[in-house]
Every structure is written in C-alpha cells, then in structure tokens.
Amino acid sequence: ARVKEVVMVGLVTRPSWRDVKPDWRGLKMLPKVLGGSQGDGAILSLAIKELELEGFCVIGIDDVLTDLRTPLGPLGQYHPDSIAQRDIERAIEVGLALGAVDVGQAVVVQHGVVLGVEAVEGTDALLERCLGLCRGGDGGVLLKLKKAYQDSRVDLPTVGPDTVAKASQAGIRGIAIEADASLLVERARLVRDADLAGMFVTGVKVERCLG
Amino acid sequence: ARVKEVVMVGLVTRPSWRDVKPDWRGLKMLPKVLGGSQGDGAILSLAIKELELEGFCVIGIDDVLTDLRTPLGPLGQYHPDSIAQRDIERAIEVGLALGAVDVGQAVVVQHGVVLGVEAVEGTDALLERCLGLCRGGDGGVLLKLKKAYQDSRVDLPTVGPDTVAKASQAGIRGIAIEADASLLVERARLVRDADLAGMFVTGVKVERCLG
C-alpha cells in the first residue's frame, strides 16, 4: 500500500486491563503499557510510537484541516467579563494540575467554586451534572485544555456546536478553550449558536512550565 | 462565656460570590477571601484564623474523639490485591495533584482507568456516576485523602457505613483512606458492613512533599 501518513480521529473506550484481549503484537506491547504511566496520554503515545516503527508518519487532524485550530481571543460577539476571567484562571490552574497526572481535559468553575472536573465520563456528562451543582448568579465557565504530556497529534480537546448546546442547557455562561492546542468543529455554526445563546467562546493562552 | 475551644463539624454549602451577603465582620474579611486562593481549604483557613483572633482555640474533632482517626492498614478481613494496590497508587497520584490545587478529596480508579474525580458534588455523587462508567472485571477502588494545604482541624476526609453502602452499590471493591489524616465514623459497623460486602477498607500512607 502507498499509505504514508496516518491521522487518528474518533472515540476509543478504554477497557479495564482484564478485558484487554491482545493479539500477538499487542502482547508484545503490553509490558511497555503496563510498565509505564497508566494515563490515556501515555498509552496513546505508545500506540503512536508503534505506528511509527511500522514506517507510518502520524500527523494531527489539524495538519490536514488547519482551520480546526483554535485561535486566541473571543470568537463571537460575547467576551468574558472580569468574574468570568477569574473563573477561567482558576480553571486553568485546576486543569493544569489534572493534566499533569494525565487525567481530564475539562473543568467547570463558577464564581471561584470548582463545580466539576472531568475524568472518563466526558464533557457532556460533566456539563449535565454541573447543572444540578451550580450556585446562584451568573453561570459557570467551561474550560477545555490539553493535558501536559499528551501528544498534540491525538486526542486534542474539542468544542463544537453540540458542546455549546450542552453547555447552554447546563447554565454555563461561556466556554474557554486552549488556543493552538484544541479543535473547533463547525466553527461558523458554533459561533452563531453561542451568540444566540448569549455565551462567549474564547481561545485562551495556557502558560505551561513544560513543552 | 467560658467557651475556649471550638470544633468545626458538619456540612457547609459554598455559595457563589454574588450570593454571599456578609455582615459587617464578614465585609471586613471579604478582601482577604477574594484576594487569596479560592479553594475551600484556603477559605476555611481564613475562618479559623478569624476565630483564633477572637481568642478561641480551634481543635480537630479527632482531638476530642480520638478513635475516629484512621489507622494504617486493613480494617476488616479483606485486603487489597496487587491490582487494587496499583489502583490505590494511581489514585494517590491523582488525588495529590487535585489536592494541591485545593479541589476534591476523592478519586475512583479501576484497573488503571481514572473513573472519576471529586469536586463539589461530593463522594456519594461521584460513586453514583462511577457505576455507569466502570469497566468489566473487578471493580474500582475509592481513595479518600486530605488536600495538600488544608488545615487538619477541619473538613478531613470521612468514611462511614454509608460510604461503604454507596461504594458497594457502585461496584467498588475497596476503599483506601489516608491514615492519620481522615476520620472513620461508626467504625465497628463500617468494618462489619465492609466484610459482609466483601470489600476491603484500608488506611494508606500518603507521602507528601510538603507538610
């Protein structure tokens, strides 16, 4: 075959170790997987290395569809006010700590209260439970950011019109998403929906000590 | 009055900043609260300092009821096996990262997968959602641990018979709780219920870089 470049997209549900039924090649990889850190990012990096050993070049979806990349700054007509700005900063602090141990990519903060932190349940489930947890006053802020050590070619945080709809239903007042390290799906519809919902969607710079 | 020592117990639901209606004294405290870190632990520490300025001595509930303190090692007849041990270690890694930013005190890990991480929803809600998230094979492990900078006199992680019941319903195979930095409520009933449910409950040592 003439395939040289590989793009990884879509959903993988991670099984428990006992449910893994590896083939011969998988068996050879297993010691490396079990011996290393157990986060999704670490395991995906091993999968990429394996594809590269086979001669494939693994590239990011945003190398092919460059307009998916999140730019810096507000995308629609609404901007975060000073309270939202402060919630974004607190969310970044929490998100970086979480990402450093290779766990989730999403955090919801409302007026300084960390309403929820994402693990395997995914952003939709996180948003759903935040509806029942939110306090009075303006809604919370959803932040999505890349994990510290994850390979930028796979599993980038993603926001689309569906995220806007779910966030709006959950009483969220705005979405912050890491600029240059995340994907925006159906941007035009996303921005239109956010404007209609009165929500801001903004690309934020996340300062990282490493990489 | 002759009251000298104060013990803080029970539940406080943290409001959003906009819902806070401080009295005169609260108004004077507000700049300190808003100026500092926004985690629960930081705010509770300020409340303790305020009580101390008034001449009260704030002590921990486990200074009064010393048998509440969690000892090291298994409490009932079941012990964590090597997989559970590894899940406990991963949960400690995640819990320490979370506690360092003053967020939750509970983490659920099953076979290396971080099923859930606690924020304001509390341990019961965390356990409930983990039931729908757990993978095949043996269940996950619930870890409860103290946050890095929280004052040991208030808001210690707590496990009781109710935790055992909720964990059992959620398919959890065992509970690890930080030795010497957490509370066991109704220990005899807790151990009996855990034994009946086939669950381990064990006090674990958590190595911390600070304090």
Side-chain angles (χ1 to χ4, degrees):
Chain A
R2 300 267 307 261
V3 174
K4 284 180 186 152
E5 293 177 324
V6 172
V7 175
M8 291 168 79
V9 286
L11 187 75
V12 178
T13 300
R14 184 174 161 180
S16 71
W17 297 124
R18 295 226 169 143
D19 283 352
V20 174
K21 293 183 183 55
D23 56 13
W24 184 72
R25 178 151 204 163
L27 268 178
K28 283 202 301 178
M29 280 182 71
L30 214 52
K32 268 184 278 185
V33 174
L34 291 167
S37 150
Q38 301 178 64
D40 296 348
I43 293 170
L44 280 169
S45 293
L46 284 171
I48 289 173
K49 212 170 275 176
E50 200 69 15
L51 286 165
E52 287 173 339
L53 283 174
E54 202 60 42
F56 292 112
C57 180
V58 177
I59 59 174
I61 178 71
D62 52 334
D63 290 323
V64 184
L65 303 168
T66 48
D67 64 338
L68 291 179
R69 253 176 237 153
T70 305
L72 191 65
L75 286 152
Q77 64 180 105
Y78 295 98
H79 296 209
D81 62 16
S82 63
I83 291 178
Q85 199 56 52
R86 198 162 169 189
D87 283 346
I88 291 170
E89 279 156 30
R90 174 75 171 128
I92 289 174
E93 178 188 35
V94 174
L96 284 176
L98 200 70
V101 288
D102 205 353
V103 180
Q105 297 180 326
V107 181
V108 176
V109 177
Q110 184 195 21
H111 295 232
V113 182
V114 180
L115 293 186
V117 156
E118 182 192 43
V120 291
E121 73 274 28
T123 306
D124 288 357
L126 169 68
L127 288 170
E128 273 166 38
R129 77 171 179 268
C130 284
L131 179 59
L133 296 168
C134 66
R135 276 56 178 153
D138 294 325
V141 168
L142 167 68
L143 170 76
K144 295 202 72 166
L145 80 175
K146 195 170 85 80
K147 293 182 287 183
Y149 301 104
Q150 83 175 73
D151 192 298
S152 292
R153 292 169 292 177
V154 294
D155 193 29
L156 284 184
T158 303
V159 164
D162 192 51
T163 320
V164 171
K166 291 266 165 52
S168 174
Q169 283 157 25
I172 296 291
R173 62 196 291 233
I175 299 173
I177 175 162
E178 183 172 358
D180 290 321
S182 62
L183 307 175
L184 295 173
V185 178
E186 293 186 67
R187 191 183 304 195
R189 216 186 108 201
L190 182 160
V191 170
R192 197 195 57 204
D193 291 357
D195 283 348
L196 283 171
M199 283 172 53
F200 66 81
V201 177
T202 188
V204 293
K205 191 161 169 53
V206 175
E207 304 282 355
R208 295 168 182 282
C209 303
L210 291 157
Chain B
R2 300 268 307 262
V3 174
K4 285 180 186 152
E5 294 178 324
V6 172
V7 175
M8 291 168 79
V9 286
L11 186 74
V12 178
T13 301
R14 184 174 160 180
S16 71
W17 296 125
R18 294 226 170 143
D19 284 352
V20 174
K21 294 185 181 53
D23 56 14
W24 185 73
R25 179 151 203 163
L27 268 178
K28 284 201 302 178
M29 280 182 71
L30 214 51
K32 269 184 277 184
V33 174
L34 290 167
S37 150
Q38 300 179 63
D40 296 348
I43 293 170
L44 280 169
S45 293
L46 284 171
I48 289 174
K49 211 170 275 175
E50 201 68 16
L51 286 166
E52 287 173 340
L53 283 173
E54 203 59 42
F56 292 112
C57 179
V58 177
I59 59 174
I61 178 71
D62 53 334
D63 290 323
V64 183
L65 303 168
T66 49
D67 64 338
L68 290 180
R69 254 176 234 154
T70 305
L72 191 65
L75 287 152
Q77 64 181 105
Y78 295 97
H79 295 211
D81 62 17
S82 63
I83 291 178
Q85 199 56 52
R86 198 162 168 189
D87 283 346
I88 291 170
E89 280 155 29
R90 174 74 171 129
I92 289 174
E93 179 189 34
V94 174
L96 284 176
L98 200 71
V101 288
D102 205 353
V103 180
Q105 297 180 327
V107 180
V108 175
V109 177
Q110 183 195 22
H111 295 232
V113 182
V114 180
L115 293 186
V117 156
E118 182 192 43
V120 290
E121 73 275 27
T123 306
D124 287 357
L126 170 69
L127 288 170
E128 272 166 38
R129 77 171 179 268
C130 284
L131 179 60
L133 297 167
C134 67
R135 276 56 179 153
D138 294 325
V141 167
L142 168 69
L143 170 75
K144 294 202 73 166
L145 80 175
K146 195 170 86 79
K147 293 183 286 184
Y149 301 104
Q150 83 174 77
D151 192 299
S152 292
R153 292 169 292 178
V154 294
D155 194 30
L156 283 184
T158 302
V159 165
D162 192 50
T163 320
V164 171
K166 291 266 165 51
S168 174
Q169 283 157 26
I172 296 290
R173 63 196 291 234
I175 299 173
I177 176 161
E178 183 172 358
D180 290 321
S182 62
L183 307 176
L184 295 173
V185 177
E186 292 187 68
R187 190 183 304 196
R189 217 187 108 200
L190 182 161
V191 170
R192 197 196 56 203
D193 291 356
D195 283 347
L196 282 171
M199 283 172 54
F200 66 80
V201 177
T202 187
V204 293
K205 191 162 169 52
V206 175
E207 304 282 355
R208 296 169 183 280
C209 303
L210 291 157

